[in-house]
Amino acid sequence: MRALLILALALLMSVNAAAQAEDEGRFQIERVGEGLLRLDRITGEVQLCVRATPTFGCRTVVDAEAPVIPDEPASGTLLAENEALKAENRALRERLRMIAALVEDAALTRSPLSSTTFGTTKREIDEAVEVTDYAVRRFRDLLKSFGDESVR
């Protein structure tokens, strides 16, 4: 009988400890000026608590919302928003997959000496030569303006 009583007491204490551990993560408390805001993470209720002699007095600032139940069609806008975001996520992943495939195909079909690559390089060289030619002409004109006749 005594062993059964000890076992029952131990079981009761473990259940109580588990309930306390669950409740510790339930509330988030933040200091605001002279008071505290207490957020109930399960219901969503927010209370403002201020010191009232000899304890704290709390008043609800944001009411708890009804929980969203996935099986009920009228369970709130959060479920609809979640579904819309999931659909958008799927579409973006598919688009990203298609873009990656196009980039991979382009990389496989382009050889190092293809006309596109060579044409781009030739164009860049031509532009660099034009810029250099312009700079040399400007420098020559600058020297001529100083009266140096040996500069042609």
Side-chain angles (χ1 to χ4, degrees):
M1 182 71 171
R2 187 173 192 191
L4 186 61
L5 182 60
I6 291 173
L7 181 63
L9 185 59
L11 182 64
L12 182 62
M13 289 176 61
S14 67
V15 169
N16 190 22
Q20 281 181 337
E22 184 179 309
D23 283 347
E24 285 179 14
R26 179 177 179 175
F27 296 101
Q28 178 178 344
I29 298 175
E30 297 290 330
R31 183 174 294 275
V32 177
E34 297 294 319
L36 300 169
L37 278 180
R38 183 176 79 165
L39 167 67
D40 185 334
R41 293 181 186 201
I42 294 175
T43 65
E45 180 181 38
V46 178
Q47 291 183 334
L48 176 63
C49 301
V50 292
R51 182 174 284 294
T53 308
T55 62
F56 275 89
C58 298
R59 67 178 172 89
T60 300
V61 187
V62 177
D63 287 329
E65 292 184 16
V68 175
I69 302 168
D71 296 336
E72 292 183 20
S75 65
T77 58
L78 288 179
L79 184 61
E81 182 181 3
N82 188 12
E83 291 303 318
L85 289 172
K86 284 179 183 178
E88 182 181 5
N89 190 358
R90 281 191 300 273
L92 289 173
R93 285 178 186 269
E94 178 62 23
R95 185 172 179 194
L96 184 60
R97 188 191 63 73
M98 289 172 38
I99 291 171
L102 288 173
V103 169
E104 186 177 322
D105 287 346
L108 291 176
T109 58
R110 186 182 321 158
S111 69
L113 298 176
S114 69
S115 61
T116 306
T117 305
F118 184 74
T120 301
T121 305
K122 184 178 182 297
R123 183 175 49 235
E124 290 172 353
I125 292 171
D126 289 344
E127 288 173 1
V129 168
E130 286 178 16
V131 169
T132 305
D133 183 47
Y134 175 77
V136 169
R137 278 189 274 122
R138 290 284 298 175
F139 186 72
R140 188 181 315 137
D141 292 344
L142 181 64
L143 287 177
K144 282 182 183 179
S145 70
F146 287 127
D148 188 358
E149 296 297 326
S150 65
V151 179
R152 296 183 203 176

